[in-house]
Amino acid sequence: MFQTLPLRSRWPLAPCGAQQLSLQGRSWAFRERAQRRPPAGCARWLVSTASKTVWPSPCLKAWEVGSSGYPKPARWFPGAAAQTLSWNRVTRRQFSQGPPSTGGSATRLQLRTRLLITCLFGGAALGTWLYLRSEKERQQKLQRIQELKKVAIGQGDFHLVDHTGQPRSKADFLGQWVLLYFGFTHCPDICPEELEKMSQVVQLLDQEPQLPRVQPVFITVDPERDDVAAVAKYVREFHPRLLGLTGSPEQVREAGRAYRVYYSTGPRDEDDDYIVDHTVIVYLLNPDGLFLDYYNRSKSEAQIVQSVRGHMETYKTLFS
């Protein structure tokens, strides 16, 4: 006894394809092309006999199962009559016909659509995040500028006298780049070395005409011995533009406190001589009067020049 099960072929067949037959517990999928197109109204009915299963002309060849249990091609019946078994009837158009399936193309289209939607949403989210971050940075910068403006008005203010006897304050240096050093004229080695290094830095910067000029300033931390005359004699040993400042002990103390400079007078010897211990730092002030950077003894002339040049190139005034 034969039994047929309907199965649509996954291959495009013309004009029709085969079914899968379950024969004696084994399954085979067969596909044979008809040699000519079936006539109009061809009813595809399965014709079954005791030894063979055939398709009426002009449909597919049928297969039969021999005594060995293996299928073999049955004869071709070009004009066989349509005889069917009631329990083994096959419905019309059981076989794959028409154009190839477009399921793969539809799947690719859906994937592309999903990717496009994902990219659109991702781009919108990224753009929103970048905008919010830039806006936050802009607000922080404006707030920082306002704070620096308030600090710039009073930071490091001083009222001293220069080595020519003229009163000086911080306002006199606004609009200039300033290298500032605190020391004293009786310093045996450190102060001369640092002032010489600062003078070399100023000379190197003067060799670059595109850069603004730097004003070197020396403020004494020993007002008891460093009067106007002593400071004038001392600064002449260094850069010609070096400006020396002095004043009363209280004025010098206020200037040091404004820049957080530490200094302390040591014990006196039998000659009434003493050493002043103090902070060894060169300060950089921008034209707004703000402290920008500092350079200790480990910094070389070339390093200081590079740093000052960088600050000059990136400088933006706060009072424009």
Side-chain angles (χ1 to χ4, degrees), residues 12-37:
L13 304 179
C16 56
Q19 290 184 313
Q20 179 175 329
L21 306 179
S22 178
L23 305 175
Q24 295 185 0
R26 294 179 174 84
S27 296
W28 293 273
F30 304 103
R31 182 164 62 97
E32 294 286 346
R33 292 183 180 275
Q35 296 182 357
R36 60 181 181 271
R37 193 176 295 273

Side-chain angles (χ1 to χ4, degrees), residues 53-195:
T53 301
V54 300
W55 292 98
S57 175
C59 298
L60 301 180
K61 288 182 180 180
W63 296 77
E64 66 178 355
V65 179
S67 60
S68 63
Y70 292 95
K72 57 183 179 179
R75 290 178 300 165
W76 181 261
F77 294 88
Q83 299 180 1
T84 63
L85 296 177
S86 60
W87 57 270
N88 215 15
R89 179 171 296 180
V90 182
T91 59
R92 298 173 66 89
R93 301 189 62 83
Q94 288 286 337
F95 302 100
S96 172
Q97 292 183 348
S101 173
T102 58
S105 300
T107 302
R108 289 193 296 271
L109 181 60
Q110 292 177 0
L111 179 60
R112 291 177 183 175
T113 303
R114 292 173 184 173
L115 289 176
L116 179 60
I117 294 175
T118 302
C119 292
L120 289 177
F121 277 101
L126 179 61
T128 302
W129 178 78
L130 291 175
Y131 170 76
L132 293 177
R133 188 181 69 170
S134 62
E135 186 67 17
K136 181 179 179 181
E137 292 177 352
R138 189 180 69 85
Q139 293 295 336
Q140 291 177 347
K141 183 177 180 180
L142 290 177
Q143 183 179 0
R144 178 61 177 165
I145 290 175
Q146 294 299 327
E147 293 175 355
L148 290 176
K149 285 183 178 180
K150 294 179 182 178
V151 174
I153 295 175
Q155 182 198 41
D157 198 9
F158 54 83
H159 299 277
L160 300 171
V161 180
D162 66 16
H163 64 271
T164 64
Q166 298 295 323
R168 294 282 185 168
S169 67
K170 178 182 176 180
D172 296 326
F173 300 97
L174 293 178
Q176 302 180 63
W177 289 88
V178 177
L179 284 174
L180 176 62
Y181 179 78
F182 286 82
F184 63 106
T185 62
H186 288 75
C187 182
D189 49 12
I190 296 179
C191 292
E193 291 176 0
E194 292 301 300
L195 288 174

